[in-house]
Amino acid sequence: SQSYRVERELGAGGMATVYLAHDLKHERDVAIKVLHPDLGAALGAERFLAEIKTTAKLQHPHILPLLDSGEADGLLYYVMPYVRGETLRTWLERERPLSVGDVVRTIREIADALAFAHESGVVHRDIKPENVLLSSGHALVADFGIAKAARSSGALTGTGTSIGTPAYMAPEQAAGDPSTDARADVYAWAIVAYELLTGFTPFSGSPQQVMAAHFSTPAPDVRRARPDVPAPLAELMAQCLAKEPGQRPANARAVVAGLDAVPVSASNAAHPARSPHRKQTSTLLAAIGLAAAVGTAAIFTLRTTATAERTVSAGAEHIAVLPLTAISDTALSRLGQDLVVTLSATLDGVGDVRTIDAGTVLSRTRDLPTPLPLNRAREFAGELGAASVLTGALTHEGALIRATMTLARVTGDSTLASISATAPLADVAALSDSLTWQLLRQVWQRGQAPSPVLSGLTTKSFSALRDFLNGEQAFREMDFANAMKAYRRAFEQDSMFAQPYLRYHLALYWSLEPRDEGIWRRLVALASRLPAREREWLDVEQAPLTVPDKIARWRALAARYPDYAPVQMAAGDLILHNGGWYGLSLADALPYFERLVALNPAHRDARSHLQMIEWFSDDPRLRRRAAGRVAELASDSSSSVWANFFAITSQSIDAASRRVPMPVNANLRAVGRAVAMGGSGAGGAYYAGVLFGRIAPQHYLREALAALRAAHIYEGSIKEAVLFGDASSRAAAGAWREAVTLAAPLAGSTTIAPSMRLHAARLALFGAFLGTVTLPDAAVPIGKATDITGLDDISRIERTWLQGALGALRTDRASVSTSLAQLGAFSNPVAVHARRSLQAFWLSRTSPDAGADSLQRLSDEVMRGMPFIESAEAIGRFVVTRRLRSSGRAADVAKYLRWTETFPLEARPMASVHPLYPVVEYEWALALEAAGEGSKAVRHYESAVDNIDRPDAALLPLVQDAKRRLTALTGDRRTNQQQ
């Protein structure tokens, strides 16, 4: 609508999405509720607008008014004031426990609003804490309009949506009784009152269990959970919660009258500091408030003491749920796997219960025999750290499926529970709920067992659950494309279903695809609906932390959840791709990938990462292990790009370990074509700049790129991204002047990342520092970089640093001063690093020791999390390394060289790691030899010699020295194969 400017989404529910908007005519903020298209289509614009007119007439102090309604672009909407307060739900979660006085005042205002609506002929039908706002200390009931319009039109039958929320629905409403009237609101009002007083609703469990309880289970007396509730209030609530509508008050006006009979002294026992209402100042109320506070403290102490006791039998606190065996019908095997997912999610977090991650269990059991003998099942669960194992079988029983299961301790022969349930084949949720409820009843130790809730699978849509489970199966097989399709179908059917958003995000992450910001925002909005370990993963993922702090958080989380693959991957992956810049070694990532392979031996990504880490180790045992993994990783029946990618990685390691040329084979061509067809410049850069550039010598990469160019599959941004990698490889091979010339066309590109466009200037500066590119030759591409437009802030900062560093190499004080002044004008925090780096680098040219010390202090700050420019830090660490070695501190060198151990996923760090890697290998070997670690130095000398196979004249002494030292250390005369 042209009357409103939409600012942002505020939230979404089963029937509509709410947006914050600005009313242009009246200059005020409003909330616009837009019906979901399927519901809007079922309603029809005319009927919706006609029905909603009735609710627009509800003018009452405790009813959120309806300001406007209409249709725009085929979407139906209505407009309400934007309330800058909070919902009852937020208040309850923030201030629990609430005082009786606060609750009575609030529920009376709600009842007064409902009474007015009932007298106007309007029934709300969805009273719950989320639909009541608190503004200036008073309750405002919202969302009268949509329920009446939807119910009157009969639209719900077609859309599969039901008005109401299971936890608050009266029995007749749950049954779809067309005669449902104001007494349904009375019932819901009483449940809200019960929840505000106790912190929980009278019935809990799955939606099916809750609705069954509404029909058959008497509501508990509120005073059992909250003894200080006045008897008249408890009696009124009990009347409102009667199963038969005729036994309840006729409407909310009768409820108001009942509330007015509640003794004032009881209802005023408030927590003034916690109240959403105006503070009371009389001495009497202050005294009552103090007494209530003491009472609350006593309640809190009792609850704390109680929860310290074990809630479940010993052994039931950590369960591995295994796939159920399909007896005489392999068609049930899929259901047996799905129940691992749903039972694990339902049980996890109930009392003391934790479950082993379902994905881990299903991955590890893939190749185990079926049925699995109980002693082997116990052994398997123990390997995963579980204290007990839940096993069972599925059989047909007429038109139903029966699941029979046993919970047994891992140690000993004792059985903790035996359970059995039946349900239709299609209803995995009902079967899971019934089994969970029975199991909890048998292992619960204190009082009545709680009704379980599918905490991680919160959806009422069976088809959405089925698609989610399909996605989980594809994810386990690393078929991320089909997994994402299934997850998308799941959350498109139920936009409040949190876990498909999480798994979709993880599938993108494991595919090296960029984050989908829309999916990410929705995931963050639904975070409270995720189970504990998923919430904690999300908390760390989105936390604005420095890399060292984030690594520390991932490590702590990985220790807490050793069976949860995503946190193991997050910890290991961040170290692998970034840890070296912060002084961490690849060995620090090793335990996380070893754990990943233990959790899922078939996971090729984890095994490939583990192989790379082992190959770059100084430990000969690990390097032999890496070479031994070739057979298991070098071939795969899958046609996916990643299967071929892992195959090439392994073949590269095999060729390098045997010191023979790597074959340019079908795997290589398949990956090359996949990169080209994917259209990802970043993917092309990763492929050309990291894979062969680090794992195998540079001449292998040149051969591979030549073969791929001959196939004519690279065009546009992919061609340029591969050129970026090719230029890096030429520099790594020692041909720095050739590399600068090759990278020159990148400066004029308009399709690749800004950091790639600076590559000729960057290579020129590196070459000038190493003495392989003359200062006048380096000045040309660095000068031309000034003409590059469209650079982001960081690229402009790096360009300024490159210009200043060239000035330092030329001993041009004026040029350095100009660059320092320009860096001082940037607000981006990386400019602070660039400026200090340039100052210290300039100092190192005039006072070498002082400059090196300054650069070392700066690197130490970077390792603690200071934002930095990779090219500047790389040069700085060269200076630091040489200073430490020359001053007899070679043993301190390692942490300043580990940045070349990283496997970057972005162009900017890749641009520094790949070209400089072989020269750093030589520096590292010198330091190891000086520190008495000659056997470890051999690998680094070999790496330098094998890679620098086309050295410019200035690098020939380095190569010759490396060969001489190798001969001295090994007794062999090592020569570069390509010379």
Side-chain angles (χ1 to χ4, degrees):
S1 171
Q2 296 181 351
S3 301
Y4 306 98
R5 182 182 67 246
V6 175
E7 303 286 351
R8 59 184 170 89
E9 181 180 325
L10 293 173
M15 292 188 289
T17 302
V18 184
Y19 298 91
L20 172 64
H22 193 69
D23 182 344
L24 300 175
K25 180 179 180 180
H26 300 100
E27 288 294 323
R28 60 183 176 180
D29 286 340
V30 295
I32 300 181
K33 180 159 280 195
V34 181
L35 272 61
H36 292 333
D38 54 352
L39 180 59
L43 284 169
E46 289 186 11
R47 181 181 294 273
F48 171 75
L49 297 174
E51 293 291 348
I52 211 166
K53 284 181 181 179
T54 304
T55 59
K57 298 175 182 178
L58 295 178
Q59 301 296 316
H60 186 274
H62 299 301
I63 293 178
L64 189 67
L66 187 68
L67 302 178
D68 191 11
S69 60
E71 178 185 15
D73 297 327
L75 297 174
L76 302 178
Y77 68 89
Y78 59 96
V79 183
M80 304 165 289
Y82 174 56
V83 177
R84 300 182 185 276
E86 60 183 350
T87 65
L88 282 191
R89 172 69 64 211
T90 306
W91 179 41
L92 178 61
E93 292 175 349
R94 176 174 55 80
E95 296 290 359
R96 188 182 305 175
L98 305 175
S99 74
V100 174
D102 287 343
V103 171
V104 170
R105 280 191 295 273
T106 302
I107 61 177
R108 191 191 185 287
E109 291 176 349
I110 296 170
D112 196 36
L114 290 173
F116 181 82
H118 294 166
E119 290 160 359
S120 302
V122 176
V123 178
H124 192 288
R125 293 187 177 88
D126 197 18
I127 291 296
K128 57 184 176 182
E130 289 81 355
N131 281 341
V132 180
L133 306 174
L134 292 171
S135 178
S136 300
H138 293 287
L140 287 173
V141 181
D143 273 359
F144 276 95
I146 191 169
K148 184 179 191 303
R151 174 63 66 186
S152 299
S153 69
L156 301 173
T157 303
T159 63
T161 305
S162 60
I163 286 294
T165 303
Y168 306 90
M169 290 172 71
E172 67 274 20
Q173 187 178 356
D177 187 341
S179 65
T180 296
D181 58 18
R183 291 170 292 188
D185 283 351
V186 167
Y187 187 93
W189 170 89
I191 291 182
V192 169
Y194 189 101
E195 186 174 14
L196 292 179
L197 288 165
T198 67
F200 48 86
T201 55
F203 308 116
S204 61
S206 69
Q208 297 93 332
Q209 290 174 324
V210 170
M211 287 193 283
H214 284 312
F215 283 106
S216 58
T217 305
D221 185 343
V222 68
R223 286 173 295 183
R224 289 176 56 188
R226 185 74 184 265
D228 59 336
V229 173
L233 176 57
E235 291 166 7
L236 174 63
M237 291 169 59
Q239 293 172 18
C240 294
L241 289 171
K243 302 299 179 188
E244 292 297 325
Q247 296 175 0
R248 300 177 212 142
N251 52 42
R253 184 60 65 196
V255 173
V256 173
L259 283 170
D260 288 342
V262 174
V264 174
S265 58
S267 66
N268 277 345
H271 291 283
R274 293 183 172 183
S275 174
H277 302 274
R278 290 166 295 186
K279 293 183 179 180
Q280 305 295 325
T281 57
S282 73
T283 304
L284 175 61
L285 287 179
I288 293 173
L290 177 61
V294 173
T296 301
I299 293 171
F300 179 79
T301 302
L302 288 171
R303 288 179 179 174
T304 303
T305 303
T307 54
E309 300 172 7
R310 183 188 297 276
T311 58
V312 294
S313 305
E317 71 279 0
H318 203 176
I319 301 172
V321 183
L322 269 57
L324 281 75
T325 302
I327 303 298
S328 303
D329 186 355
T330 56
L332 296 180
S333 297
R334 172 61 192 277
L335 176 60
Q337 295 177 11
D338 289 348
L339 283 166
V340 175
V341 178
T342 57
L343 285 169
S344 297
T346 309
L347 287 165
D348 194 61
V350 180
D352 294 331
V353 178
R354 269 200 60 224
T355 57
I356 298 294
D357 177 57
T360 295
V361 170
L362 290 170
S363 298
R364 286 286 303 272
T365 55
R366 182 181 305 173
D367 298 324
L368 294 180
T370 303
L372 191 64
L374 182 57
N375 63 340
R376 181 66 186 96
R378 284 186 162 119
E379 180 183 339
F380 171 81
E383 291 170 0
L384 293 178
S388 57
V389 60
L390 185 61
T391 60
L394 294 168
T395 56
H396 283 285
E397 194 168 286
L400 302 177
I401 302 300
R402 177 171 291 280
T404 304
M405 305 191 77
T406 299
L407 181 67
R409 285 193 177 92
V410 166
T411 57
D413 298 322
S414 59
T415 297
L416 293 168
S418 296
I419 56 179
S420 182
T422 60
L425 174 61
D427 202 347
V428 62
L431 194 60
S432 180
D433 286 350
S434 181
L435 291 168
T436 305
W437 174 232
Q438 291 183 54
L439 188 147
L440 287 174
R441 288 175 65 186
Q442 293 186 43
V443 301
W444 204 257
Q445 292 202 143
R446 292 191 295 104
Q448 184 178 2
S451 297
V453 177
L454 279 168
S455 58
L457 304 173
T458 47
T459 181
K460 303 172 191 175
S461 167
F462 172 76
S463 58
L465 177 60
R466 172 58 63 190
D467 280 322
F468 171 75
L469 295 171
N470 288 337
E472 291 291 88
Q473 186 176 43
F475 194 103
R476 290 193 297 274
E477 296 170 357
M478 289 190 68
D479 183 359
F480 298 128
N482 282 320
M484 286 189 285
K485 290 177 183 177
Y487 294 142
R488 181 174 287 279
R489 288 195 300 270
F491 60 63
E492 283 178 346
Q493 293 175 84
D494 183 352
S495 63
M496 298 297 289
F497 191 4
Q499 237 176 351
Y501 292 99
L502 172 69
R503 303 299 284 181
Y504 188 99
H505 174 78
L506 284 173
L508 282 174
Y509 169 76
W510 287 56
S511 302
L512 287 181
E513 294 295 328
R515 185 167 83 183
D516 184 313
E517 292 301 328
I519 299 297
W520 175 255
R521 287 193 298 271
R522 191 70 186 137
L523 171 59
V524 171
L526 296 174
S528 63
R529 299 171 68 84
L530 292 168
R533 58 187 160 211
E534 278 80 5
R535 280 200 309 274
E536 292 186 54
W537 181 94
L538 185 59
D539 285 344
V540 178
E541 177 73 358
Q542 67 176 326
L545 302 170
T546 64
V547 172
D549 286 344
K550 183 154 283 195
I551 288 174
R553 289 279 299 276
W554 283 133
R555 285 174 137 177
L557 208 58
R560 190 177 310 137
Y561 297 115
D563 60 298
Y564 188 44
V567 298
Q568 304 296 324
M569 185 66 175
D573 221 38
L574 193 55
I575 295 172
L576 177 72
H577 297 305
N578 298 277
W581 289 104
Y582 302 92
L584 296 173
S585 71
L586 287 178
D588 291 307
L590 186 64
Y592 302 105
F593 288 104
E594 287 179 331
R595 182 60 181 164
L596 278 166
V597 171
L599 293 176
N600 183 1
H603 201 300
R604 293 175 59 80
D605 192 13
R607 286 189 294 153
S608 180
H609 280 66
L610 183 59
Q611 185 188 39
M612 288 190 289
I613 292 170
E614 292 168 342
W615 177 242
F616 282 91
S617 170
D618 288 330
D619 185 340
R621 178 183 60 85
L622 290 180
R623 287 174 64 79
R624 287 193 297 271
R625 187 194 296 175
R629 293 183 187 275
V630 171
E632 67 186 58
L633 284 164
S635 62
D636 194 288
S637 58
S638 167
S639 61
S640 75
V641 61
W642 291 109
N644 289 298
F645 188 97
F646 300 145
I648 298 170
T649 302
S650 197
Q651 290 161 359
S652 300
I653 288 174
D654 180 52
S657 67
R658 296 188 293 114
R659 304 184 68 79
V660 299
M662 194 197 83
V664 177
N665 58 16
N667 295 122
L668 170 64
R669 294 187 181 92
V671 172
R673 288 190 177 90
V675 168
M677 289 186 294
S680 167
Y686 181 79
Y687 166 73
V690 176
L691 179 59
F692 298 105
R694 289 293 314 282
I695 295 171
Q698 301 307 310
H699 62 85
Y700 293 178
L701 174 57
R702 292 196 299 275
E703 293 166 12
L705 291 177
L708 292 169
R709 284 197 180 95
H712 302 291
I713 61 173
Y714 288 138
E715 297 297 336
S717 63
I718 293 296
K719 185 176 182 180
E720 291 172 330
V722 172
L723 183 63
F724 165 85
D726 197 359
S728 298
S729 179
R730 303 302 170 101
W736 283 90
R737 286 172 294 177
E738 181 183 335
V740 173
T741 301
L742 193 62
L746 295 176
S749 172
T750 58
T751 60
I752 59 174
S755 56
M756 292 186 190
R757 297 169 63 193
L758 285 177
H759 204 39
R762 187 186 292 117
L763 292 174
L765 189 282
F766 290 163
F769 174 76
L770 295 171
T772 65
V773 177
T774 66
L775 292 176
D777 286 346
V780 175
I782 293 175
K784 287 184 177 179
T786 307
D787 299 327
I788 300 176
T789 59
L791 295 181
D792 56 33
D793 252 12
I794 296 179
S795 295
R796 290 191 295 115
I797 291 169
E798 184 179 17
R799 179 176 61 185
T800 306
W801 178 87
L802 291 169
Q803 292 162 344
L806 177 64
L809 291 173
R810 298 168 72 173
T811 322
D812 182 352
R813 181 186 296 273
S815 176
V816 173
S817 298
T818 298
S819 292
L820 287 173
Q822 291 172 345
L823 289 170
F826 284 98
S827 60
N828 192 303
V830 300
V832 175
H833 172 268
R835 193 170 191 276
R836 288 179 57 187
S837 172
L838 181 54
Q839 287 173 326
F841 186 53
W842 168 253
L843 182 62
S844 74
R845 308 299 293 176
T846 56
S847 179
D849 289 352
D853 289 344
S854 182
L855 285 167
Q856 184 177 356
R857 287 192 296 272
L858 184 59
S859 288
D860 290 342
E861 289 185 53
V862 166
M863 291 184 195
R864 291 192 292 270
M866 179 185 188
F868 64 99
I869 294 290
E870 287 86 354
S871 54
E873 188 63 17
I875 294 299
R877 293 191 188 187
F878 261 106
V879 175
V880 170
T881 298
R882 290 169 177 174
R883 159 74 170 154
L884 289 172
R885 184 162 45 81
S886 65
S887 62
R889 291 182 288 164
D892 297 333
V893 163
K895 75 173 184 176
Y896 297 101
L897 295 179
R898 284 182 177 141
W899 56 277
T900 56
E901 280 193 334
T902 61
F903 287 83
L905 295 179
E906 297 175 356
R908 181 170 284 105
M910 190 186 303
S912 297
V913 170
H914 184 180
L916 293 171
Y917 163 65
V919 183
V920 172
E921 286 287 85
Y922 172 73
E923 294 285 342
W924 205 330
L926 290 174
L928 286 168
E929 187 179 4
E933 299 277 359
S935 60
K936 292 182 178 180
V938 167
R939 179 181 75 80
H940 297 276
Y941 281 134
E942 286 181 342
S943 178
V945 169
D946 286 345
N947 279 285
I948 306 175
D949 65 327
R950 299 178 63 178
D952 292 330
L955 287 180
L956 275 174
L958 180 154
V959 175
Q960 291 167 352
D961 184 59
K963 290 178 180 179
R964 180 183 61 77
R965 290 173 180 274
L966 265 176
T967 300
L969 288 169
T970 65
D972 296 331
R973 294 190 61 80
R974 305 280 176 119
T975 59
N976 190 295
Q977 299 173 22
Q978 300 301 305
Q979 288 185 306

